[in-house]
Amino acid sequence: MALIVQKYGGTSVGSIERIQTVAKKVKAFADTGNKLVVSVSAMSGETNRMTALAQEIQDTPSLREMDVLLTTGEQVSISLLSMALQQLGCDAISYMGSQIRITTDSEHGKARIKSIDTQRIHTSLDEGKVVVVAGFQGVDEQGNITTLGRGGSDTTAVALAAALKADECQIYTDVDGVYTTDPRIEPNARKMKSVSYEEMLEMASLGSKVLQIRSVEFASKYKVPLRVLSSLIDNPTGTLITSEENIMEQAVISGIAHNKDEAKLSLIGVPDEPGIAHKILKPISEANIEVDMIVQSVSAREGLTNFAFTVHRSDFDKAQKILKDVCGNLNAKAVQSDSTVVKVSLVGIGMRSHAGIAAQMFEVLHQENVNIQMISTSEIKISVVIDEKYLELAVRSLHSAFELDKE
Amino acid sequence: MALIVQKYGGTSVGSIERIQTVAKKVKAFADTGNKLVVSVSAMSGETNRMTALAQEIQDTPSLREMDVLLTTGEQVSISLLSMALQQLGCDAISYMGSQIRITTDSEHGKARIKSIDTQRIHTSLDEGKVVVVAGFQGVDEQGNITTLGRGGSDTTAVALAAALKADECQIYTDVDGVYTTDPRIEPNARKMKSVSYEEMLEMASLGSKVLQIRSVEFASKYKVPLRVLSSLIDNPTGTLITSEENIMEQAVISGIAHNKDEAKLSLIGVPDEPGIAHKILKPISEANIEVDMIVQSVSAREGLTNFAFTVHRSDFDKAQKILKDVCGNLNAKAVQSDSTVVKVSLVGIGMRSHAGIAAQMFEVLHQENVNIQMISTSEIKISVVIDEKYLELAVRSLHSAFELDKE
């Protein structure tokens, strides 16, 4: 008998009919003798509806009250799913975050889980009940309702699995697993049977939308086997995200991630002197703009250098404006900006022990005449910034060159 | 500086615009230096919407899960009202029933309040905040969410006022007070400045819809001055419901209540023997039908008597069917039934010390040729059952005869 935590997202519980479908899946799973804890999100659309209500009142509503408002969404879902299970003859009980003391810090809107009191869940499981838990929500030590922020329902599921020492945490979503790359770009993209936490973390941070980074971090930290599966098909197998040592045959390269939300800014002809990077980036970070890749050219002549970095495209205008001021202050020659770049990344734990992956990657891109504008590497990934018109070409040629379509 | 508990019903918070109107009223009240605790219902329509969702799943959903579902309604209201207050520059904080430990028994759907932990409320009040509390909901000793049942938001407000020893509990509603009788029937009906708990209780149980009986009982028990006011007009004075001794000039008759939801059933020619009332009423009560007035005629001849009682009109068909069986079992002669009767009641504490009120009432009705079918009296009320076609005539002639239109 296994103890499984399952998580169903907003689309999966987006209507009464879908809730009934989820209930059937859960019941079938419980009927095979598993102990089940099910974490659910708000019905799709509800969070937006409530945010709109709040914004009719205040542009920036109180974060505390916003959390009180938004957590009603999951509260509705857990009660309806429990009823649907009971209607099928499957005993079930719902718990809000506050009822099982999903204790968080007091950062409303983006709280972090500190502990979960599992006693009540264990009691209900021992009574033969399916336990249905509201995702996304917690309670701080003063009893204020908190939310975990975007993707918080995934985090709830993983945290529950960690606290309960569950055998597996299953995240049901609208994709059926983690692919070697985006199947909309490369039809030969292959669903992976398993991938390591580290690779998944890199892919998530590089633009893969399958799982939120925090839930993968959590799973990695507590060694929770995490499975991504489709809620739309029967008997899905999905992709297992687990520790490196549990993956039998590790490929050199696991996947190719891409991120279209990039924009590049360059400061041309700045004096090449100590502290220059700090002088350029301080006003950017003070404006709460996150900087991703940074490249400072080797000083060419006249003691001048070029300095380039990428930001999220939504911050592009703001960053450009700031950089123009910086340009004046530092007596730099010009600001160059380009909001039509993308980032393409190779990810794979095998890189650690295989030299020459980067060279091979650059060679493939060179053969396709794709100009590389920036490069950034880590132990298990290589990212390049290229013109967005080459995105599909780059992904497909790399996918093929590294034989990712083959098992 | 007074401590006031205010309650706004679902219609008063039925839209963002209305919530903003309530916020203005609350702020104006707080600005005059009062400490304010505001209890609110769910936005009108929300409870029905959620009940409909649940009933798509189960005809009779689990009461526990139903409470989890329904309490989201007030949770939405408290957060939105708190935001609206903050938007006006009025510091406010919301609390759910579970957060201020409105502890109830475990009777989901109709729980009774056992205690309220006022410490958190007092702390927030002392910080200069308006405290916004979700009505209708509580939490049992195991931490399960409960609801107080119909009219529960009024009960929450009165219970808060009692626990906080508030100076007054103000119930804002769509009528501007308690009238001597229904103004839709008698245009000369007069709004009372004050009325005693006892009279209000009688009026509520006799069909006056202004306040729920439980909230009046609660107010009476804990001597909470209760005021009913209109949320639709500015500076309303309403009607104060208070202890008898606080009412300066007590009228003999305070008001005339009526109830249209009556139905009369009679068993003709039953043996007049001990235990007969029990034999007739036991199957009725076993079917969960509430019996109101009961009249057993004086035995006439042949040891036979007639037995009549009234039930709620919605129970009429069911009761009629049961009574036909009883008729056969007891060898009674016939069942007579009439679903076109109404109850009209005179209420007044002054009756205790004034003899002859009943005689005067019957005289008035006799003069108007209104036939009295049943009579029931208590210390402070006289009720008669009459044909519904006489309802308006009876109310108006009694209102005039007892000079209720005069102060």
Side-chain angles (χ1 to χ4, degrees), chain A residues 20 25-26 49 73 83 93 100 108 137 145 163 169 212 229 270 349:
Chain A
Q20 288 168 327
K25 282 176 189 285
V26 170
R49 185 178 73 86
M83 289 175 196
I93 187 165
I100 48 170
H108 290 288
Q137 60 181 243
I145 303 299
C169 179
Q212 292 288 321
L229 322 89
V270 280
I349 279 185

Side-chain angles (χ1 to χ4, degrees), chain B residues 134-193:
Chain B
F136 180 65
Q137 58 180 243
V139 61
D140 73 6
E141 269 158 18
Q142 289 73 48
N144 299 300
I145 303 299
T146 55
T147 63
L148 310 179
R150 283 230 165 252
S153 289
D154 288 358
T155 308
T156 301
V158 176
L160 282 167
L164 293 162
K165 299 187 178 32
D167 296 287
E168 197 169 289
C169 179
Q170 302 177 340
I171 309 284
Y172 285 83
T173 172
D174 51 358
V175 300
D176 67 338
V178 183
Y179 277 73
T180 49
T181 195
D182 186 340
R184 286 168 302 181
I185 291 181
E186 171 52 271
N188 291 324
R190 186 176 47 79
K191 194 185 72 183
M192 290 182 259
K193 279 184 188 157

Side-chain angles (χ1 to χ4, degrees), chain B residues 214-253:
Chain B
R214 271 176 69 194
S215 57
V216 182
E217 279 174 350
F218 222 102
S220 169
K221 186 169 171 191
Y222 294 99
K223 304 279 176 233
V224 174
L226 190 61
R227 192 180 291 276
V228 180
L229 322 89
S230 168
S231 63
L232 309 174
I233 58 175
D234 287 331
N235 306 311
T237 53
T239 299
L240 180 67
I241 301 145
T242 183
S243 299
E244 205 178 320
E245 57 268 25
N246 295 338
I247 298 175
M248 299 286 283
E249 285 192 71
Q250 184 66 54
V252 177
I253 302 298

